[in-house]
Amino acid sequence: MARIRPLPEHSCLPYLAFLLMLCTVESVCSRTYDDDLRLPPSQLTHGWDCIACSTNTMLAGNFGHTNAQIFNMSDPWWVDVVAKSYAAVALNDWLGSETYNGTGESGVVTVAKALKAANPRIKVLWYQAASWVSFTPFIANQLHSHPDWWQKDDYGNIIWFRPPASGRPGHPFVDLAVPEALKWFANIPLSYFKDEEEAKKYCDGIFVDGADYRDFSPNISASRYKELFDAKMSAMHLAQDTFTQLNGGEVWGNAVLENHKGPNTPESVSWNTTLQFFNGAFEEMFGSFSTENADGTWNQTLMERSFENVISASNAGHSIVIHAFPGPAFVPFTKRGNNSNTFTVASWRGPTPIPETAEGCREAASKRLVESLAPFLIVANEHVFLSYAWFYNIEDGYIPCKEGVECGMPSTWYPEFTRPLGPPKGPAQRQGTVWTREFQHASIYVDLKDRSASRITWS
C-alpha cells in the first residue's frame, strides 16, 4: 500500500487526488467476491468478567447525536462514559460534522481524539453508506463533481438516493464498478486527516451500511447487479487491506451475515461469501424487525439462522456487533422527552404498545433487556459484542445520561452489565426451540417460541 503523504494543515480537499492513486495494484482493485481471499483474524476481542465493568466490556455501538447543546466539547461528560464503557464505536454525525466542508477539523475527528484521550484502547470507526456514502459537503461535493461515478440503470438513467428538488441538488448512488470511485470510497476516512500518523492514531476502520445486495431499480439486469455487488466487495476489501496495514483496523459491514434474494437481485449472500473480504459484521435486527412476526413474537426460523450465522462467523475470527432493540421493535420511530431534549424510540409489534412517556420507555428498556441479553449470551464468543438501544443516536439509550438529560435508558447502567459472568463452560446447547448455555456464574435460557421466557439465572 502506498504511504500517506503529509498534507498542509487545514487542507483536506487536495487529498482526493492522492487517494485516487492509492490502489495501483490490479490484483487488489479487481478482486471479485468469488475470489479465495485470506484475512487476518479480528483483533477486537473481550474477556468474560462481566458485560461491562471496570475490567471488561462487551459493548460496541454505532451512533451519532442530534443535540449539540447537550453533547458538546464544552461539557464532555459523555466522552468519558463512552470511552470507559465501550470497546468500539462507529461514529455517525458529531459536533456539526454533517456540515463539514474540508476546512479545519471535522467534528468526527474531534470526537475520535477525545475518546482516544480518555481511553487509548477504544476502537473508533467511521460510518459511511455503501450506496449514498454521505451527505457531508466534504464528501458529497466530491461525489457530485464526478458524474461518471454516479450509478445508472441499464438505460443510462441516474439512480438517485435523493432526487433533485427545488433549491436542492440531487444526491446519487455511487457506482463502485468505476475504478476511481472504488478507490475513493475505500479511503474516505483517511481523507479527514492531515497525515498518516494522525489517521493511524485516531481511525480504526469503517462501518459500511448497506453492504448487501440492494433492490435499487427494476431496470438493472442480474449481470449488472452482480457487477455492482462485486465492486462493493472489492471496495470493502481494499478498505480492509488499507486498515490492516495502517493499524490493524477493520471494516464492519451491515446486512452481510445473511441477505435473501430480492425481486431484482440475482442471488442471496451470507457471511461466508461476504466476510472473506472484510473482518466484521453488524447484525442490525437481532430479535426485532426482520427476525420477528407481525404479532411481535420471534420468527423461529430466522432467529435460528441469526444464531447460527453469528456463531459460525465469529468462530471463524470475525468481529460481530449485535444490535438489539428493547422489545419487539418495528417502525414507525417516534420521539419521547421534552421539546428541547428528546430521544427516538421504535414502535412495538404485538398487543403491548410502546410506553407513552420517556420514563416509561426507560423502564421498558430495563425490563426487556433480558430478551436481548440472553440471546446475545447464547451466541457470544470473544469476538461478539452487544449494542442495545432504541435507535442510532447516543441519547437513544447507549449510555446513562446525567441528571436533567432525557435519554432512552435509566440514569445508571443496567445491573446485569456489572454482575460477575465468567467464561462459558462450552457452546450453547439446543433442544427443539430451546437454547441453553452455562457460564461460570450464570445459566442462560432462551425459547424461540416465547421471547418473554428468556432468563438469566445468576449464581
Side-chain angles (χ1 to χ4, degrees), residues 31-336:
R31 288 169 177 159
T32 73
Y33 85 103
D34 296 315
D35 290 338
D36 184 20
L37 305 173
R38 293 289 183 266
L39 295 175
S42 169
Q43 295 184 20
L44 185 62
T45 60
H46 62 69
W48 298 103
D49 290 352
C50 57
I51 302 300
C53 59
S54 60
T55 58
N56 183 63
T57 180
M58 302 182 187
L59 300 183
N62 160 49
F63 47 81
H65 76 86
T66 60
N67 195 325
Q69 282 70 48
I70 295 173
F71 303 99
N72 55 60
M73 299 310 295
S74 61
D75 183 15
W77 60 274
W78 50 275
V79 170
D80 192 63
V81 178
V82 173
K84 300 297 174 58
S85 306
Y86 279 78
V89 293
L91 299 178
N92 280 248
D93 290 334
W94 282 95
L95 307 181
S97 63
E98 66 275 16
T99 61
Y100 176 65
N101 63 6
T103 301
E105 183 173 270
S106 168
V108 180
V109 174
T110 301
V111 172
K113 289 180 177 180
L115 290 171
K116 293 278 192 176
N119 178 10
R121 296 185 304 277
I122 192 172
K123 301 299 183 183
V124 180
L125 292 83
W126 257 233
Y127 173 97
Q128 65 191 57
S131 54
W132 51 270
V133 192
S134 174
F135 290 136
T136 300
F138 174 54
I139 303 302
N141 290 342
Q142 295 174 35
L143 178 58
H144 294 171
S145 66
H146 289 81
D148 54 317
W149 295 359
W150 300 359
Q151 195 173 123
K152 301 177 179 65
D153 66 18
D154 292 354
Y155 300 97
N157 301 307
I158 298 167
I159 301 177
W160 298 102
F161 179 81
R162 189 176 67 184
S166 177
R168 185 192 70 190
H171 190 86
F173 290 113
V174 65
D175 186 349
L176 297 177
V178 177
E180 298 306 296
L182 182 155
K183 302 168 197 175
W184 168 76
F185 178 90
N187 292 279
I188 282 174
L190 304 182
S191 68
Y192 282 84
F193 299 96
K194 60 188 178 184
D195 56 41
E196 178 181 20
E197 286 308 308
E198 189 177 60
K200 182 178 182 179
K201 186 175 181 179
Y202 296 115
C203 185
D204 298 299
I206 315 176
F207 174 108
V208 179
D209 205 0
D212 53 352
Y213 274 116
R214 293 282 153 139
D215 288 316
F216 289 145
S217 170
N219 296 323
I220 294 182
S221 65
S223 60
R224 169 68 171 149
Y225 256 120
K226 186 175 186 307
E227 178 187 22
L228 292 170
F229 183 72
D230 285 354
K232 187 185 297 185
M233 294 297 100
S234 294
M236 294 178 71
H237 185 74
L238 176 58
Q240 180 63 73
D241 188 59
T242 298
F243 278 99
T244 296
Q245 295 185 55
L246 180 69
N247 56 12
E250 55 189 51
V251 175
W252 299 348
N254 188 18
V256 298
L257 291 186
E258 184 166 17
N259 174 232
H260 297 287
K261 185 181 184 303
N264 304 318
T265 56
E267 56 192 88
S268 60
V269 298
S270 63
W271 71 270
N272 52 11
T273 60
T274 56
L275 292 184
Q276 59 176 302
F277 290 93
F278 44 93
N279 257 340
F282 189 79
E283 179 74 328
E284 184 176 21
M285 299 175 181
F286 190 74
S288 58
F289 290 89
S290 61
T291 55
E292 66 187 9
N293 301 312
D295 62 358
T297 59
W298 282 329
N299 183 302
Q300 296 172 33
T301 300
L302 295 181
M303 281 293 286
E304 178 183 306
R305 288 180 185 169
S306 182
F307 279 18
E308 292 171 346
N309 287 338
V310 172
I311 291 169
S312 297
S314 61
N315 284 343
H318 298 289
S319 298
I320 310 295
V321 179
I322 288 173
H323 181 80
F325 295 80
F330 201 63
V331 294
F333 292 96
T334 55
K335 296 287 187 180
R336 296 292 185 273

Side-chain angles (χ1 to χ4, degrees), residues 365-446:
S366 182
K367 181 178 180 180
R368 305 200 73 153
L369 171 66
V370 68
E371 294 176 21
S372 297
L373 187 57
F376 165 76
L377 290 172
I378 288 290
V379 301
N381 74 5
E382 65 273 14
H383 295 296
V384 182
F385 292 81
L386 176 66
S387 172
Y388 180 69
W390 295 98
F391 194 57
Y392 293 111
N393 289 302
I394 191 172
E395 63 266 26
D396 299 333
Y398 290 96
I399 62 171
C401 288
K402 66 178 185 178
E403 184 177 355
V405 176
E406 296 273 17
C407 282
M409 69 167 289
S411 58
T412 58
W413 282 111
Y414 302 108
E416 294 89 339
F417 281 11
T418 55
R419 296 200 65 156
L421 178 65
K425 297 181 179 180
Q429 303 298 308
R430 177 188 171 194
Q431 187 170 5
T433 61
V434 173
W435 294 66
T436 59
R437 194 178 189 191
E438 295 296 320
F439 289 79
Q440 184 178 0
H441 300 298
S443 298
I444 316 302
Y445 177 94
V446 173

